[in-house]
Every structure is written in C-alpha cells, then in structure tokens.
Amino acid sequence: MGDIAIRVEEIGKLYRIGKREKYKTLRDTLASAFTAPFRNAGKLLRGEWADPGESDPTIWALKDISFEVQRGEVIGVIGGNGAGKSTLLKILSRITEPTTGFAEIHGQVASLLEVGTGFHPELTGRENIFLNGAILGMKRAEIERKFDEIVAFSEVERFIDTTVKHYSSGMYLRLAFAVAAHLEPEILIVDEVLAVGDAAFQRKCLGKMGDVAKEGRTVFFVSHNMAAISSLCTRALLLDSGRLKVSDTPQSVIEEYLSKTRKDAGVPLSERKDRKGGGKVRFTNASVLNNRGEVVESVVSGQDISISLAYEIPSSEKIDNAIVQIKFAGGLGQQLFACLSRTSSRESIELVPGARLYCNIPRLPLAPGLYTYSIWCKVAGRLEDLVSEAGMLSVSEGDYFGTGIFPARTVGDFLVAHTWSTR
Amino acid sequence: MEESVQVIRIEPSKGWVALQLKELWAYRELLYFLIWRDVKVRYKQTALGAAWAIIQPVFTMIVFSLFFGRLAKIPSDGIPYPIFAYAALVPWTFFSQGLGQAANSLVGSSNLLKKVYFPRLSVPIASVLSGLIDFLIAFIVLLGMMLYYGIHPTLNVIWLPFLLLLTVITSLGVSLWLSALNVHFRDVRHVLPFLTQFWLFATPIAYPSSLLSESWRTLYSINPMVGVVEGFRWALLGVETAPGPMLIVSSLVALALLVGGVFYFRRLEKTFADVL
Ligand SMILES: Nc1ncnc2c1ncn2[C@@H]1O[C@H](COP(=O)(O)OP(=O)(O)O)[C@@H](O)[C@H]1O
C-alpha cells in the first residue's frame, strides 16, 4: 500500500461575489453589445462574460491548498462557515473547476454531497433507486444486483412501489441513503450528509461510514461532528478562510479548531462592525461563566451557567425598558433555543452604564458540542443592537442526569430531564 | 497485481475545451435514465398523458387548415391541406418542444448540477430525446391520416430515419446554445416563445416552399427546419419539390449548429455550478 489516492497541488478557487446578480439578462448584454459591438459580441461568443472580470469583487474561497491522501486513509475536513470546505469537495468531485492548481484522483471515485440527489417526487421508490443509482455513477446491472439489499437496508419494502412524494421525510432519507451506502468506490468523498435526519439515521450513516473505512477504502469527508471526526478519521485537515491551516491527527486538529474558534469568539465584541440596530446600546463583551462565576472556555452539560454581557450606552443614561435576547445555535447553524427576557421575566431590563447583564441558565441542557449564540437588544420596541454569533459556547460531557453516566455524544443537541416508572 | 488505476486530473480548463464525447458515451446509462425519467414524469403528471402529444399538432393543423387552407387559400402542392400541414407539424412540434424543454433543462436540474458530477451535455440531450415518444405518437396519427386520404408513401420513405436524425440534430444544436445561455441569462426563457413563433413562420409549415424559385429555396434552407419539413413531405406524401439541394444545405447548417453548440456548451460548462 502506501499509494497515493488524492493529490492536491496549490488549488485555488476564485468566486465572483458582490451585490451584482449572479446571472445577467441577455437584454442588457445585447444592449451593451450595441455600445461596443465587436468587443461584447466576441465576449458573448467566447463565453468570457462568465469569467470573473477585474471589475467584479471576487473572493478566494480556496487559496494555495496542497495535500496528499494515501490510499486507505480516512480524512476529516473541519472549518468554520465559509472556510471553503464545500468548495474543496466540489472541486474534488469535479462539480466546479479550480481557478489555479490541480488535483489528481487515483482510482474510482464516488462523491456524496447530498443524499437523494435527483430523487423525483413523482417516481416510485423503485424507480428512484435506479435513477439515483445511475446519477451516483452505478451501472444498471450493478443496481439490479444490489436492488434487494438496498431495499432491505432502507426498511421501506412495503412502500417501494409508492411514489416518494407520499413518503415521510425519514423514509425518504433512509431510501436515499440506502442507495448511496451501496456505492463501492475506491475513494469516497462525503459532505455533511450526517447533518440530516434523526439520531438513529445519523448513527446508521456513521456506522456505514465506519464500515467503509474499515474495508480499507479512502474516505474524504467534511463534518461538524467532532465526535465523528475523532472516532472515524485517521487524519484531519483544518481549513480557515480558504487556507489549509493544519493537517494532523484528528485530536490535535480538533483542539486547534476549537481554540481558534474560541479566540474568534474572543474578538472583542466592541470591535465587531457587522452589527445592526440604532446603537443606543452596544454590547462590548460576552463571556461564559461556570457555576462558580468564573469565566471559562468550556462548560459541562448539566452545570449551572451564565452568559455575562458587558455593554456601553453612548448617551450614558440609564435605560429601563430594554428587552434582550440570547439565541443559541448548533455547530451547523441550526437554531436551538432563545433566552428572551420578555417571556422569562415580567419586568423590562434595566441597563445601567458600567454594569453587566447576566443571563443565568440552570442545569445546562445541551449535549456536548460547540454552540454559538447571537444577542440583540431592543429599547422601546426598536432594535438597538444585534450581533450574530456574538460568542461561542463549548460544552463538554457532563453528568447531566446525576447518575454518573455521561450521555452519549450522538443523540441530538439537547438533554432532557426525565424519569421512568412502571405501573 | 492490481490493474492500472484510473487517474482523474482536475485542473482549470483554458479556452476551448475537449469535447469528451467518450465520457458522454460512458455515461450513456445515465442519459437513458434521464430520458426515461422525463418521459415517465411527463406522462404521469399531465392528466391527458399521451393525448397531449397529439393535441398540439392536431389543433395547430385544424387552425392552419381553416385560416391558411380555407380562407387564405394557400396552395399545398396538390395535397389536401390538412395533411400537408400536419406532415410538417409533426417534426416541427418535436423541434419546438425540444427547445422548450431543453432551454430550461440546466436551470431545472440545478440541484443535480451542483451536487453530482456527470457530463453536463446529458441534461439537454435527454430533454430533446425524451420528445421522441411524443413524436412517435404524433407520427402514428400521421400514418392514420395518410390512410384516410389514401396517400401512399413513395420509395423515398427510406430516407425517413435520416430526416428524423436531421430533426434531432437541429433541435439539439439549437437547444445546446439556448440551454447554456439560459444559465447566465435568465431572460432566454422569455425570448424563447418569440423565437419559436418567428421560426414557425420562417419555416414552410403553413405554406409550401415551392412558392419560391429553386435558387431562393436553396438559400431559404439555411433554416435547417426547411430541409426537415420539405424532406418529410417529400418522403411521405410524395410532394414534387425535390429537396436535394435544400437537404444538403439544411444538413450542413444543422451540423454546424450542433458542432458549434457542443463546443459552446462545453466552454460555458465549467461555470454552471458556480452560477446556478
Ligand atoms: N457559487 C458561489 N459564488 C460565489 N461565492 C461562493 C460560491 N460558493 C461559495 N462561495 C464563497 O466561497 C467561500 C467558501 O464557501 P464554502 O466552500 O461553502 O465554505 P464552507 O463549506 O466551509 O462553509 C464563502 O465565502 C462563500 O461565500
């Protein structure tokens, strides 16, 4: 072994961004063709208007990325939103071209950026298996051979001749994943497919990924699920703003990522420019306190925690009719819950220059993982300050239920107190 | 030992890119499934199903027969006007439907294009080819009409497969241009009905091309649908207008459209996933 499976050399990808519509109208282009007929008509024919021009604002979604993947390695890719993970997968899947550099893929490859791509609601489960299989690159004979297995794996035997628009979303996902799970490429490229579906589904996906990895195939996948990365991968890559920051063991890359995100969250709130609102109040700092009131980087499930907010009031006058909200989102940006002062308290909030505001959350019901929170403040019904992703909340395993048993990592975002009884 | 592993090289393409027709061939099963999907969904969705394939050309024929045949008394090369028009409307409907389906095909499959790799050409090709079923149904009606009018096809009918191929080439050629442009210019969709309308009257469907002199006819057949339509009438209805030179010109133009279209499409292809 020791052969190369994927080689990436100085890959870069330039995207055109900006306010401009991504697509233009033929009318406008033709109109401008009249003002500079030859140049523009030539452009239209050569397809050049489609290339990022100098006049457009552009962004390097990836820049100078180089790495190699040996056969049999399982590589996890981590990075914040907009780090370029999807772009990298899209380039390796040949969906989009790199702007610079090149990559080589040695061996038969399949990529799975989404489960159920190409599923058609008007077709039956059976028909969709064939269609989706063909789209993922399977030969018809291969699909026929594996058909029974796929159906059995999907657990939707009874509905296999029903059009999938009548499926529940769970059935739909299971069927879609069943097709994908029966791909047998040498190299598998997977995007965050684990982010959809319920816990059981996610476990099934992870299990299948683990099997694939054990069979000695090369797997290259993106995940926000640090537990999955650390348990499945032999190596991890950290992307940040389009650059490859680290390539190391999953454990150390995860630590690097978490510490970096913590640092980011520590960028003084007061320096954040991307805020909205009138500005009568401005949050200047947000930090997480543990049950002893110490500022910490990480809290534990089931602990009493507080979010401490510092703010400034440019007018230096006391404000006594504020409403404040802290809204929590999961690592994938999914909305989890909000602490809204108007609903949790009958009193308005009083903001006094120089004081801090605390939001206390007893017995934190979040599963281990990385969360972000956004804050806003309204005064007399007007939005005065809003900062999204104002801070980061890193939760590690804790004895939430007081049983000495730490809840497993892959059962969703929340822990809910409950008891069992028999009658 | 192991067989030699296939190596895929991914790099920016410059200028005019290779056509990769071999790859298109390797993906022929996908093409088949895409056609199959289009056909299946179309017949499942519309309540009228297969009838729809007939309704459109037949109704157009009726309207044309009334207005152009009866009222305007437009000549029809000595053949009953209804079948004269219908024989042209069958390939025409395939052509115009093909354009309509294909022009929007890439935008309609944007999710597919953003998530899976496969030769992008398959998408508009599948859209055009899926119209063949409708064509077949409409064609059977044409055979029925020939029986009714007692018209026997001449030996020239052996040219029919070639004429059908020419229709497909023309439709595909234009579709490739339109579908690729439509990704970047979403108003292509609005231009299309106008274009088809215009094209309909620029093609001898409601009238015979024999209104023109021989040399003008040849020039006229720069519109490849002229060759197609007159070819169909000649092969099936035994219309006298010898389509030889017209067919040659039309075929050359159609081929040029197709080849140009494929290259243009391939050139723009790399931008599809970023813009969609
Ligand atoms: N089609 C596109 N057009 C313009 N910009 C894009 C496009 N796709 C991604 N980007 C930009 O490229 C950067 C990287 O995006 P992406 O690869 O999706 O990051 P990630 O998957 O890590 O969240 C982002 O800034 C994003 O806005």
Side-chain angles (χ1 to χ4, degrees):
Chain A
M1 281 292 167
D3 303 340
I4 287 185
I6 304 176
R7 190 153 85 96
V8 171
E9 284 289 339
E10 314 215 321
I11 286 252
K13 174 79 187 178
L14 187 66
Y15 272 125
R16 177 158 59 183
I17 47 162
K19 286 191 226 68
R20 196 93 74 86
E21 287 279 330
K22 275 200 283 189
Y23 41 83
K24 306 170 182 179
T25 63
L26 189 57
R27 198 185 52 215
D28 294 346
T29 309
L30 285 179
S32 72
F34 281 111
T35 53
F38 296 110
R39 190 161 51 92
N40 282 318
K43 264 191 185 165
L44 184 61
L45 277 176
R46 287 193 303 275
E48 266 167 19
W49 82 89
D51 299 328
E54 312 86 50
S55 55
D56 294 308
T58 52
I59 178 176
W60 284 97
L62 290 176
K63 190 105 174 98
D64 296 334
I65 305 279
S66 304
F67 59 87
E68 276 179 8
V69 178
Q70 304 294 318
R71 193 162 297 186
E73 273 194 296
V74 181
I75 304 284
V77 182
I78 323 180
N81 281 336
K85 304 179 297 295
S86 315
T87 307
L88 180 59
L89 290 198
K90 278 187 184 167
I91 289 174
L92 292 180
S93 319
R94 286 190 289 167
I95 289 164
T96 185
E97 272 187 2
T99 314
T100 61
F102 70 91
E104 277 174 1
I105 304 214
H106 299 247
Q108 205 203 337
V109 58
S111 57
L112 192 60
L113 302 195
E114 181 187 72
V115 288
T117 310
F119 260 47
H120 200 291
E122 296 287 342
L123 298 177
T124 66
R126 180 188 302 276
E127 291 164 343
N128 270 309
I129 290 180
F130 279 93
L131 180 62
N132 186 236
I135 286 171
L136 293 176
M138 282 195 229
K139 291 267 173 279
R140 187 172 170 174
E142 186 185 350
I143 306 172
E144 265 159 15
R145 187 158 38 80
K146 292 179 181 161
F147 186 82
D148 292 336
E149 253 181 85
I150 293 177
V151 175
F153 189 86
S154 70
E155 303 164 22
V156 296
E157 285 100 332
R158 289 197 313 127
F159 305 98
I160 201 69
D161 289 311
T162 311
T163 51
V164 300
K165 70 176 172 197
H166 297 303
Y167 279 29
S168 70
S169 61
M171 286 160 64
Y172 183 95
L173 272 179
R174 283 205 305 275
L175 182 65
F177 185 72
V179 182
H182 287 79
L183 286 169
E184 287 178 335
E186 291 161 316
I187 303 169
L188 183 62
I189 298 177
V190 191
D191 201 352
E192 189 81 75
V193 286
L194 314 168
V196 292
D198 56 13
F201 175 75
Q202 294 197 4
R203 248 199 313 281
K204 199 164 180 173
C205 294
L206 277 173
K208 188 71 197 179
M209 293 258 294
D211 293 348
V212 171
K214 278 192 214 92
E215 286 163 15
R217 292 180 216 279
T218 313
V219 184
F220 192 87
F221 82 109
V222 162
S223 183
H224 279 88
N225 184 333
M226 298 301 151
I229 298 260
S230 70
S231 66
L232 289 178
C233 295
T234 51
R235 190 151 63 94
L237 306 179
L238 174 60
L239 287 184
D240 179 28
S241 315
R243 287 170 192 273
L244 180 59
K245 279 277 135 78
V246 204
S247 155
D248 204 341
T249 61
Q251 218 43 57
S252 60
V253 173
I254 291 172
E255 266 159 37
E256 173 89 21
Y257 172 62
L258 292 183
S259 76
K260 190 197 154 301
T261 42
R262 261 177 239 130
K263 242 181 273 146
D264 271 6
V267 161
L269 259 189
S270 49
E271 284 172 25
R272 290 274 299 262
K273 294 279 179 284
D274 52 337
R275 52 208 314 155
K276 292 201 185 97
K280 271 192 198 159
V281 181
R282 288 165 59 85
F283 293 104
T284 53
N285 176 273
S287 40
V288 179
L289 311 184
N290 67 7
N291 51 1
R292 290 190 293 276
E294 300 155 346
V295 176
V296 285
E297 303 212 313
S298 170
V299 293
V300 168
S301 294
Q303 211 175 35
D304 298 341
I305 68 152
S306 306
I307 307 286
S308 153
L309 302 175
Y311 49 85
E312 60 181 23
I313 303 177
S315 68
S316 301
E317 278 166 33
K318 195 175 90 171
I319 294 174
D320 57 9
N321 52 351
I323 301 172
V324 179
Q325 173 178 272
I326 305 183
K327 192 169 67 179
F328 290 83
L332 306 171
Q334 74 273 33
Q335 304 290 335
L336 296 180
F337 66 93
C339 301
L340 175 61
S341 66
R342 191 182 54 208
T343 48
S344 51
S345 145
R346 290 188 175 278
E347 323 266 294
S348 294
I349 290 200
E350 201 170 88
L351 298 174
V352 185
R356 282 184 92 97
L357 178 67
Y358 296 90
C359 172
N360 308 305
I361 304 174
R363 202 178 172 198
L364 181 70
L366 286 174
L370 204 58
Y371 304 87
T372 60
Y373 54 89
S374 309
I375 34 185
W376 60 246
C377 171
K378 283 183 183 173
V379 177
R382 276 197 48 213
L383 184 68
E384 295 299 343
D385 196 21
L386 181 155
V387 194
S388 32
E389 303 198 343
M392 192 73 94
L393 178 64
S394 162
V395 181
S396 38
E397 288 183 6
D399 184 12
Y400 177 81
F401 298 106
T403 53
I405 304 168
F406 286 14
R409 276 174 174 249
T410 51
V411 289
D413 297 315
F414 287 108
L415 299 169
V416 174
H418 61 276
T419 60
W420 295 88
S421 60
T422 51
R423 272 201 194 121
Chain B
M1 273 299 287
E2 257 179 85
E3 314 148 48
S4 67
V5 281
Q6 89 191 65
V7 177
I8 302 167
R9 200 176 155 91
I10 300 166
E11 59 192 335
S13 55
K14 299 242 159 52
W16 300 102
V17 281
L19 293 187
Q20 305 271 17
L21 295 182
K22 230 190 191 159
E23 192 177 37
L24 190 62
W25 177 246
Y27 273 86
R28 61 191 179 278
E29 284 192 351
L30 175 61
L31 183 63
Y32 163 78
F33 275 112
L34 290 178
I35 296 174
W36 171 83
R37 176 197 67 180
D38 282 356
V39 170
K40 199 128 197 174
V41 169
R42 196 172 328 152
Y43 285 96
K44 265 188 194 175
Q45 266 174 347
T46 58
L48 291 170
W52 193 242
I54 308 174
I55 289 174
Q56 205 183 351
V58 167
F59 269 69
T60 320
M61 172 194 75
I62 293 173
V63 171
F64 278 16
S65 303
L66 282 178
F67 290 96
F68 297 118
R70 277 278 159 82
L71 292 178
K73 300 241 180 324
I74 288 182
S76 53
D77 287 341
I79 300 172
Y81 189 90
I83 193 163
F84 169 83
Y86 190 74
L89 282 167
V90 171
W92 172 261
T93 309
F94 170 78
F95 171 75
S96 64
Q97 295 275 27
L99 293 200
Q101 297 283 341
N104 225 11
S105 61
L106 290 170
V107 175
S109 319
S110 69
N111 194 41
L112 214 51
L113 301 188
K114 283 191 292 190
K115 297 292 180 189
V116 200
Y117 173 80
F118 58 91
R120 273 47 177 129
L121 279 168
S122 336
V123 173
I125 293 180
S127 293
V128 169
L129 293 187
S130 66
L132 281 174
I133 303 290
D134 283 4
F135 173 86
L136 226 92
I137 297 171
F139 189 77
I140 291 171
V141 174
L142 177 60
L143 293 183
M145 284 177 70
M146 286 169 66
L147 265 180
Y148 175 81
Y149 284 105
I151 295 174
H152 304 288
T154 60
L155 255 186
N156 298 333
V157 77
I158 53 163
W159 285 91
L160 213 57
F162 162 76
L163 291 168
L164 180 57
L165 184 69
L166 180 60
T167 321
V168 172
I169 289 178
T170 310
S171 181
L172 198 56
V174 181
S175 293
L176 290 180
W177 287 90
L178 290 179
S179 60
L181 277 171
N182 192 36
V183 172
H184 289 275
F185 306 107
R186 297 295 162 89
D187 57 345
V188 167
R189 215 177 0 178
H190 306 303
V191 177
L192 190 63
F194 174 74
L195 178 75
T196 343
Q197 194 77 1
F198 178 77
W199 206 317
L200 171 70
F201 288 107
T203 306
I205 292 169
Y207 55 90
S209 65
S210 56
L211 291 178
L212 299 171
S213 74
E214 174 112 28
S215 46
W216 278 112
R217 271 209 297 271
T218 313
L219 188 66
Y220 184 30
S221 48
I222 285 180
N223 166 6
M225 285 311 285
V226 172
V228 166
V229 161
E230 287 300 343
F232 264 81
R233 283 188 185 134
W234 165 75
L236 285 168
L237 311 180
V239 167
E240 297 290 303
T241 319
M246 288 163 92
L247 274 179
I248 292 172
V249 174
S250 287
S251 305
L252 289 178
V253 175
L255 269 181
L257 266 176
L258 179 67
V259 173
V262 173
F263 274 103
Y264 193 62
F265 189 97
R266 288 282 303 154
R267 167 122 197 182
L268 288 193
E269 190 181 303
K270 60 175 177 178
T271 61
F272 290 168
D274 298 344
V275 179
L276 280 170

